[in-house]
Amino acid sequence: MSFLIYFAIILILPLWAQSKVKSTYKKYSKVTTSSHMTGAEVARKILNDNGLYNVGVEEVQGSLTDHYDPRKKVVRLSTHNYHEASQAGAAVAAHEVGHAIQDAQDYAFLKFRSALVPIAGFGSNISIFLIIGGMLLNMSGLFLFGIIFFAAAVLFQIVTLPVEFDASNRAMTQLVSTGIIRNDEERSTKKVLNAAAMTYVASALVALAELLRFIFMFIGMNED
């Protein structure tokens, strides 16, 4: 039974989350907002309304490649979201601007996540080699170091959750208060934001499940 639960978390959950976000995004990317504002216009308006005139809005190639770059102070929107006026595009644009607002207000979790980036990146790259090396060489110390580095990557995934949920909450507040969406559009906008959030939840659960598996393997190695 435990194997089936692990299998569901590792494989099925991420696939379901990705399928959910893609289908939801596809559906509402075809529905125009009452304001008829493109994603670029939505982002610019919310930024200006919050006094963030120094934050730029740029187009980036690809689909669902939208992100906020805190180093260059730029909200980047994928081609469709940048040019088209849709409920999905408005939701995504507002979400990314939510990160810009977090950055401007020194949101604690965002600062913490940014500080974790180099550690998490290094940890995710080297941990698996240390763990495999510890297994092959039967060196529990090496295995433990691998677990510690992997735990840093897992911590990054967990800290990402409040950052993303907060950005989505800010997005909804801004979209409603600025009149970009009407009350009858809130439900569909929330569906887009919630579907996107599930991908982060899935990633965190997968990472946590893997960490627990490594810990149990380490315990078993030291019991032999």
Side-chain angles (χ1 to χ4, degrees):
M1 179 61 71
S2 58
F3 174 77
L4 292 176
I5 295 174
Y6 172 78
F7 178 79
I9 293 176
I10 293 297
L11 294 179
I12 300 177
L13 184 59
L15 290 175
W16 174 83
Q18 286 294 332
S19 175
K20 183 70 174 177
V21 71
K22 287 181 180 179
S23 62
T24 304
Y25 174 79
K26 182 178 181 180
K27 178 180 179 179
Y28 292 106
S29 64
K30 298 176 181 178
V31 181
T32 305
T33 58
S34 56
S35 62
H36 297 283
M37 295 176 67
T38 65
E41 291 171 337
V42 168
R44 187 71 268 161
K45 176 173 176 53
I46 297 177
L47 286 168
N48 289 350
D49 284 355
N50 284 272
L52 300 179
Y53 304 104
N54 63 315
V55 177
V57 181
E58 298 177 354
E59 178 184 355
V60 64
Q61 297 300 311
S63 176
L64 294 176
T65 50
D66 314 79
H67 64 278
Y68 169 64
D69 186 340
R71 294 170 300 176
K72 296 187 177 181
K73 309 299 181 187
V74 173
V75 171
R76 296 194 176 96
L77 302 176
S78 55
T79 299
H80 186 274
N81 291 335
Y82 187 91
H83 293 285
E84 300 297 324
S86 69
Q87 291 183 4
V92 172
H95 176 88
E96 299 309 330
V97 173
H99 288 309
I101 296 174
Q102 289 175 336
D103 187 23
Q105 296 180 354
D106 290 327
Y107 179 60
F109 280 109
L110 181 65
K111 292 179 66 176
F112 185 33
R113 186 179 72 167
S114 298
L116 285 174
V117 168
I119 302 172
F122 179 75
S124 61
N125 290 328
I126 197 173
S127 60
I128 193 64
F129 295 105
L130 294 175
I131 289 171
I132 293 175
M135 290 174 59
L136 295 177
L137 301 174
N138 197 30
M139 297 176 61
S140 61
L142 191 62
F143 198 118
L144 180 59
F145 272 117
I147 291 176
I148 292 172
F149 280 117
F150 190 80
V154 174
L155 179 61
F156 176 83
Q157 295 281 359
I158 293 174
V159 172
T160 292
L161 296 180
V163 173
E164 296 301 328
F165 285 126
D166 180 77
S168 290
N169 289 335
R170 291 173 188 265
M172 282 302 304
T173 299
Q174 294 295 326
L175 287 170
V176 173
S177 64
T178 56
I180 294 172
I181 64 172
R182 299 182 310 212
N183 291 339
D184 59 351
E185 295 173 303
E186 289 184 40
R187 185 177 180 183
S188 54
T189 303
K190 285 181 180 178
K191 286 183 178 180
V192 176
L193 294 171
N194 290 340
M198 278 307 301
T199 61
Y200 294 102
V201 173
S203 296
L205 288 175
V206 167
L208 187 58
E210 281 287 84
L211 177 60
L212 291 174
R213 182 170 71 93
F214 291 145
I215 291 174
F216 287 136
M217 289 171 64
F218 175 77
I219 293 172
M221 175 186 292
N222 284 277
E223 287 179 346
D224 294 338

